Amino acid sequence: LVDEAVALLEEVEASGREDGAATQRLEAAMAEEDLEDLELAIEACRARQLDVRAAGALLAKLQEEESRREAAACKLQQAIDAGGALEIRAALAEAREASVEAWLLEKAEACAGAAEVAAKRRKNASVELHLALNSKDVDRLRSAIAEAEGTGVEAAAVAAAQAELGELDEALRSLEESVKARAPEPLRRALTAAESLLSCPQELRTPARQALHHAKSLLQELEEEARRDQEEGRRKETEDGLRAAIERADR
């Protein structure tokens, strides 16, 4: 009987030690608020029929926070993949509040910064494209189109600028050929066509404006030469007529 009592006492003491160990593990997990450890500790305590009501409430709270964290992290990653700066910033604020992992927050911050830089560059490129169109500066417009294409400016705006550039290039090419030919009438037509396209302010000293100025000067020179030739022709015709009249009178 004594042996049975001793054995029972040892069993009770062993059970108490195991209960104590399980309780200590549970308390440590609650203090650390480690979700995985807390789940295991609660399972062990329940198996020993220990009170886990406080731990269960904490577990529910941690599970809810983990769910929010996972949802915020997923939303943040989607915003990163989409690439919009505003969307990333909004998701980033929510992710910080949900205590999303630091590495993902840092990644999102870097992506948001890069997206903001790209958006600013795109806006600047769009403004420069508009200014280049108004300037009628072929080289400036060509450069602005390249920058607009590289930064993702609206395709319709780029296409309109390309069409304008094509017309300017053709007008200047025709003007250059007419200047080389030095024929007044074709030069006058090319000059009129070019002026209708290159209607930039006079104060803008662009290559196109300089080409127009040169063509106008050449046309004036050719017209002056033609006028002198006509005058010379009329003078010669008059002299020839007088000479013929004198010869007839001498007879």
Side-chain angles (χ1 to χ4, degrees):
L1 185 60
V2 172
D3 290 341
E4 289 180 2
V6 170
L8 179 59
L9 178 61
E10 288 177 350
E11 184 179 337
V12 170
E13 289 176 347
S15 178
R17 286 193 298 271
E18 290 176 1
D19 286 351
T23 300
Q24 282 185 333
R25 180 182 179 185
L26 182 63
E27 290 173 348
M30 290 177 68
E32 292 292 331
E33 294 191 352
D34 185 300
L35 181 59
E36 184 176 353
D37 285 350
L38 184 58
E39 287 175 339
L40 293 174
I42 287 174
E43 184 179 347
C45 286
R46 280 176 175 161
R48 304 197 64 77
Q49 297 183 342
L50 298 174
D51 184 6
V52 295
R53 284 174 294 180
L58 177 60
L59 178 62
K61 172 177 172 291
L62 293 178
Q63 286 173 332
E64 182 181 353
E65 290 176 352
E66 178 65 16
S67 177
R68 283 181 57 223
R69 186 159 42 249
E70 289 178 355
C74 180
K75 183 176 180 180
L76 183 57
Q77 186 59 60
Q78 290 174 344
I80 291 171
D81 294 340
L86 293 177
E87 291 78 4
I88 295 175
R89 289 293 181 195
L92 193 51
E94 186 177 330
R96 285 198 178 99
E97 187 178 345
S99 300
V100 169
E101 292 178 290
W103 70 268
L104 184 56
L105 297 179
E106 292 171 1
K107 176 183 177 182
E109 187 67 46
C111 289
E116 287 163 350
V117 170
K120 184 176 181 180
R121 186 182 172 195
R122 183 165 53 251
K123 180 178 179 181
N124 291 341
S126 180
V127 171
E128 172 58 18
L129 187 64
H130 176 73
L131 294 175
L133 272 169
N134 288 340
S135 75
K136 306 298 183 179
D137 183 333
V138 173
D139 292 334
R140 182 181 180 183
L141 181 55
R142 186 173 285 110
S143 176
I145 288 173
E147 178 68 7
E149 288 178 322
T151 55
V153 171
E154 187 180 39
V158 175
Q162 288 172 329
E164 179 75 7
L165 178 61
E167 291 182 2
L168 292 173
D169 277 335
E170 176 59 25
L172 289 175
R173 184 192 61 78
S174 177
L175 188 62
E176 182 181 0
E177 291 178 353
S178 298
V179 166
K180 289 179 179 178
R182 296 179 65 86
E185 193 53 39
L187 179 56
R188 185 179 293 105
R189 289 196 299 270
L191 189 55
T192 299
E195 282 183 316
S196 67
L197 289 173
L198 300 168
S199 56
C200 54
Q202 294 288 340
E203 63 271 15
L204 293 180
R205 300 300 179 185
T206 66
R209 175 59 66 187
Q210 292 170 357
L212 281 176
H213 178 72
H214 176 63
K216 284 181 179 179
S217 298
L218 177 61
L219 181 59
Q220 290 174 354
E221 179 184 329
L222 293 175
E223 287 175 339
E224 180 61 23
E225 288 179 359
R227 186 186 63 78
R228 287 198 300 266
D229 289 345
Q230 288 177 349
E231 289 180 353
E232 179 63 24
R234 285 196 296 268
R235 186 187 62 79
K236 188 175 183 304
E237 184 179 347
T238 300
E239 289 178 352
D240 290 345
L242 289 173
R243 190 176 292 109
I246 293 172
E247 287 178 354
R248 285 195 299 271
D250 287 344
R251 290 177 194 157

